[in-house]
Amino acid sequence: MTFSVHGLAVSRGIAIGRAVLVASSRADVAHYFIDADKTDAEITRVRVARNAVMEEITRVQQDLPRDAPHELAALLDVHLMLLQDEQLISGVKHWIAERHYNAEWALTTQYEVIARQFDEMEDEYLRERKADLEQVVERILRRMKGAPSPMQQPTRQAGASRKDSNQGLLLDDTVDVPLVLIAHDISPADMLQFKQSLFAGFATDVGGKTSHTAIVARSMDIPAVVGARSASQLIKQDDWVIIDGDMGVLIVDPSPIILAEYGFKQRQGELERERLNRLKHTPALTIDGQRIELLANIEMPEDTAGAVNAGAVGVGLFRTEFLFMGRESKGLGKLPDEEEQYLAYRKAIEGMHGLPVTIRTVDIGADKPLERGKSQETHLNPALGLRAIRWSLADPPMFLTQLRAILRAAVHGPVNLLVPMLAHATEIRQTLALIDHARAGLDNKGIPNGPVRLGAMIEIPAAALTLKLFLKYFDFLSIGTNDLIQYTLAIDRADESVSHLYDPCHPAVLRLIADTIAECNAQGKSVSVCGEMAGDVNMTRLLLGMGLRSFSMHPSQILAVKQQILRADAGKLQAWARQVLDSEEPALLL
Ligand code: PEP
Ligand code: MG
């Protein structure tokens, strides 16, 4: 039966594919396709791991002391029984043999299928066996970690077929079916892992439009919906799902007529993209000849390829925190050392071939904890807590390590060093002192380092209201509208339950942005917007009218924004922007 689920539109376009349900806790499991001739080897890999776990449990059972509680032996019996469960074994074989999932993915997928059945059971005792199944699966996964896959390299990543076939529906029951990712929640770090996997689309139950998970999803340039409440409960593994990233709707088990309609929309979208591609080499000039700088936001050094390809004239925001997140769970150590960071920054700089790269110092905290799940455990209001520059200043050795790495990398090309979430004069002075200290340390040791332009993010209302202070110390400013909106309106940007109040067009927000741009322009200091507003085509004209000439966004949005610029007359937009700013409800005038 067809039904729809409504959420928030995050990334445009239509995806049609089969649902892959990924539990939040399982996002760290590798997801890739194996070659058809390797399915037997992959099944053997699971079997070997399972047998080893069975032996282990049997041994424990045999060695149980006589006075061990009876429940313990019974529990081990249950685990042994689950390990031999026909549904688990045949299901795993099915995902590997028919879908060519890698072993870990097949196992966690089948776990989800069975776990759901446990959830629906009336008998409480049986319902609780889900936890045992989870433990058993966890043990097999751990075993497999120790025994590497015979596959050296994943041949294809999940959903890779989307690129060459959008008629997946005709290929039902083959591995070429496009896949869409459905999850309750995915941390930004885990989302980044999926960046290479090319799922055709994705949806989560929770999250706001500018949550960092949504931002990473947008950078993947695939249709996405967040805040879809109970989608991960309502949608079953393998259901056909349409993800309408334009409207923020999921359509489950669509009828042929709905499929035809969306197939048409999908093709229209592709045609539109092809048309936009023709603008790649067109200079970003308004009708009245104003040159507009279009920069890229990146999360990892390798994203520079996409930035150059989209015609970005530099990187306006390199979110370096993605080098810091989710490391411990991958066994990479808590923090990246100076050399690792230096190499990453150098790679980004070299990837831009002489174009400037704005490296933002680490912005850990709130919805970007070092490790998943940690932020909620610590404080009630993590977005107001030890985040970004506050986190850096609380740990000077860590901060100095990052600063040294950036200064060293600056030898390889033009670098702007951007500092997030500054609000106080003392923070500014401490930050500048540490930058001097880092440079002096390098100079004393004769280690080469390069010049950097210094910039501050304007993303706390207090900063926007004390611009003179910032203009005194910094060479440039970058407006982080995502946080500026969050902190001005007191709306958690990651909370879907208040997302209807997260309003980029609130007069207070627009006033802070307009005043920042005007003040910088008056003083001849460069200013750019690097929040999601810069990549929103509905806001381009207004920002131009406010006098903005530098926009930084994910590469996938650059051409659409350029199209708006080419159609705009910046001079004429000025008067209209003033009118919008004076309005009680600016959104109505856009
Ligand atoms: C912002 O707040 O607008 C911004 C660009 O930074 P982030 O989204 O990483 O918080
Ligand atoms: Mg921010």
Side-chain angles (χ1 to χ4, degrees), residues 181-223:
L181 178 77
I182 311 288
H184 174 67
D185 189 14
I186 297 187
S187 74
D190 286 334
M191 199 62 187
L192 201 66
Q193 294 205 14
F194 287 118
K195 203 160 173 168
Q196 301 306 318
S197 72
L198 297 178
F199 273 103
F202 102 97
T204 58
D205 294 349
V206 301
K209 260 187 164 184
T210 61
S211 62
H212 285 93
T213 300
I215 287 174
V216 178
R218 203 167 293 130
S219 78
M220 289 159 72
D221 197 21
I222 56 171

Side-chain angles (χ1 to χ4, degrees), residues 212 215 317 319 321 360 363 368 387 457 459 480-483 493 530-531:
H212 285 93
I215 287 174
L317 173 64
R319 289 184 164 98
E321 53 275 14
R360 183 176 73 179
D363 181 2
K368 289 181 286 192
R387 184 193 157 184
M457 298 271 303
E459 53 184 346
T481 49
N482 307 334
D483 279 314
R493 61 193 267 193
C530 65

Side-chain angles (χ1 to χ4, degrees), residues 75 86 218 384 398 456 507:
L75 188 77
E86 182 46 34
R218 203 167 293 130
L384 303 182
M398 181 284 302

Side-chain angles (χ1 to χ4, degrees), residues 35-270:
D35 284 340
D37 61 348
K38 299 283 191 332
T39 54
D40 286 347
E42 203 66 359
I43 291 171
T44 305
R45 209 155 70 81
V46 191
R47 192 182 311 118
V48 168
R50 185 200 59 161
N51 290 348
V53 173
M54 280 179 66
E55 275 171 32
E56 192 179 277
I57 295 180
T58 311
R59 252 197 326 274
V60 173
Q61 209 172 31
Q62 283 162 356
D63 296 346
L64 274 185
R66 281 178 185 281
D67 56 350
H70 160 72
E71 289 80 8
L72 192 57
L75 188 77
L76 293 172
D77 271 340
V78 169
H79 281 203
L80 281 174
M81 213 173 65
L82 288 169
L83 281 161
Q84 297 170 79
D85 179 70
E86 182 46 34
Q87 208 192 348
L88 182 67
I89 297 165
S90 62
V92 170
K93 278 188 188 158
H94 162 80
W95 299 114
I96 297 177
E98 306 296 324
R99 289 299 181 76
H100 299 183
Y101 287 9
N102 64 303
E104 290 84 352
W105 185 8
L107 183 61
T108 50
T109 301
Q110 190 56 19
Y111 162 74
E112 289 299 320
V113 170
I114 305 176
R116 265 182 189 235
Q117 294 169 4
F118 276 118
D119 283 341
E120 282 159 15
M121 284 175 182
E122 301 240 318
D123 184 321
E124 198 183 329
Y125 171 79
L126 288 176
R127 249 196 343 259
E128 283 169 4
R129 297 290 63 78
K130 186 175 122 177
D132 294 306
L133 179 67
E134 195 176 3
Q135 286 179 21
V136 159
V137 166
E138 210 50 59
R139 275 171 179 264
I140 305 178
L141 284 172
R142 267 203 305 271
R143 275 278 160 182
M144 284 197 288
K145 229 183 201 170
S149 164
M151 307 281 306
Q152 290 303 307
Q153 283 286 319
T155 45
R156 279 189 306 129
Q157 301 281 329
S161 57
R162 173 182 177 258
K163 290 282 172 207
D164 31 69
S165 165
N166 278 306
Q167 282 86 47
L169 289 175
L170 303 174
L171 304 170
D172 199 355
D173 287 334
T174 77
V175 292
D176 285 330
V177 174
L179 301 174
V180 296
L181 178 77
I182 311 288
H184 174 67
D185 189 14
I186 297 187
S187 74
D190 286 334
M191 199 62 187
L192 201 66
Q193 294 205 14
F194 287 118
K195 203 160 173 168
Q196 301 306 318
S197 72
L198 297 178
F199 273 103
F202 102 97
T204 58
D205 294 349
V206 301
K209 260 187 164 184
T210 61
S211 62
H212 285 93
T213 300
I215 287 174
V216 178
R218 203 167 293 130
S219 78
M220 289 159 72
D221 197 21
I222 56 171
V225 170
V226 298
R229 304 296 171 103
S230 45
S232 75
Q233 294 298 312
L234 298 170
I235 298 172
K236 292 193 296 302
Q237 195 77 29
D238 240 14
D239 274 349
W240 278 105
V241 180
I242 297 174
I243 297 185
D244 182 341
D246 298 318
M247 301 307 290
V249 178
L250 311 178
I251 298 161
V252 187
D253 200 6
S255 64
I257 213 159
I258 296 178
L259 272 176
E261 173 75 16
Y262 276 91
F264 176 74
K265 273 194 187 181
Q266 201 177 32
R267 283 187 292 281
Q268 287 292 105
E270 276 153 24

